[in-house]
Amino acid sequence: MTTGAQTPHPARPRRSRLRTLLPLGVAAWLVLEIWLLTVVAGASNGLVVFLILVAGLVLGSVVIKRAGRRAFRNLTETLQRQQGGMPPEARPNSEGNGLTMLGGLLLIIPGVLSDAAGLLLLVPPVQKAVSRSAQRTFERKLREAGQGPFGDAFQQARIHRPDGKVVPGEVVRDEPGTAPGDTAQGPRPPLTR
């Protein structure tokens, strides 16, 4: 038995919409995938469903492997150009490796809807539209972050002193050979602390 004033319950922070809807969306997607597989199995037979799943796995693996090789080749060519002193040039077909890999991953995931979405992501006009949409969303989120308390993190570094004071500042990097008398140095060892 307690006497006196009741202690108020601490206010729980409000759950974000994404944390609420994402598990429900994943569950609905899984139920729909299973239902579609049973519909396909009912319309034909289990062997067709098995062949669809195996074909998605094989095709997705091939797509991911090719996109990964292409991305690695582009990276090594860019690094070789930079080491040779030549500026890296823009390649017209170098973008979209990430979306191609995502399409391959969706093909690997068992299901009819994921296979359809994966095949759709392999179409170049769809890749360009998704890429533009993702870029606009990222830029909008970056602008919104610039207006809030964390927006300064993109613009400047802050030094925390031992006494608790925060000193705003900018990071300036001096490259060797920019000041008179500087000589170019070899690669520096990695920081260990």
Side-chain angles (χ1 to χ4, degrees):
M1 181 171 159
T2 58
T3 59
Q6 294 180 355
T7 57
H9 295 287
R12 289 176 41 190
R14 192 168 166 247
R15 284 180 64 130
S16 69
R17 206 184 293 168
L18 180 66
R19 284 187 62 192
T20 303
L21 296 180
L22 186 65
L24 294 174
V26 169
W29 172 71
L30 286 173
V31 168
L32 188 60
E33 287 282 17
I34 292 170
W35 178 74
L36 282 173
L37 286 174
T38 58
V39 167
V40 170
S44 57
N45 58 18
L47 181 63
V48 172
V49 172
F50 178 73
L51 290 177
I52 288 173
L53 296 177
V54 170
L57 178 71
V58 171
L59 182 63
S61 299
V62 169
V63 166
I64 288 177
K65 187 176 181 179
R66 287 187 64 211
R69 283 185 177 171
R70 186 172 53 232
F72 187 73
R73 187 176 349 115
N74 290 343
L75 175 66
T76 55
E77 287 175 5
T78 301
L79 289 176
Q80 287 173 354
R81 285 183 165 280
Q82 286 180 346
Q83 287 177 352
M86 297 171 52
E89 60 185 33
R91 294 193 177 108
N93 297 328
S94 66
E95 59 211 27
N97 284 332
L99 290 175
T100 303
M101 287 184 187
L102 179 62
L105 180 67
L106 286 172
L107 283 170
I108 289 175
I109 295 173
V112 178
L113 284 179
S114 62
D115 288 350
L119 288 173
L120 199 60
L121 272 178
L122 296 179
V123 178
V126 174
Q127 279 184 352
K128 288 182 182 182
V130 170
S131 177
R132 275 182 278 162
S133 173
Q135 184 176 5
R136 281 194 307 265
T137 302
F138 178 73
E139 289 172 353
R140 188 183 77 239
K141 293 287 185 185
L142 196 60
R143 280 193 306 271
E144 289 173 3
Q147 298 167 357
F150 297 112
D152 293 338
F154 294 111
Q155 304 299 328
Q156 63 184 350
R158 295 188 183 272
I159 301 170
H160 294 275
R161 294 179 40 170
D163 58 358
K165 294 181 181 176
V166 177
V167 181
E170 293 184 12
V171 177
V172 178
R173 184 175 180 179
D174 291 330
E175 295 292 330
T178 56
D182 282 348
T183 59
Q185 300 174 352
R188 295 186 178 144
L191 296 175
T192 56
R193 205 188 307 185

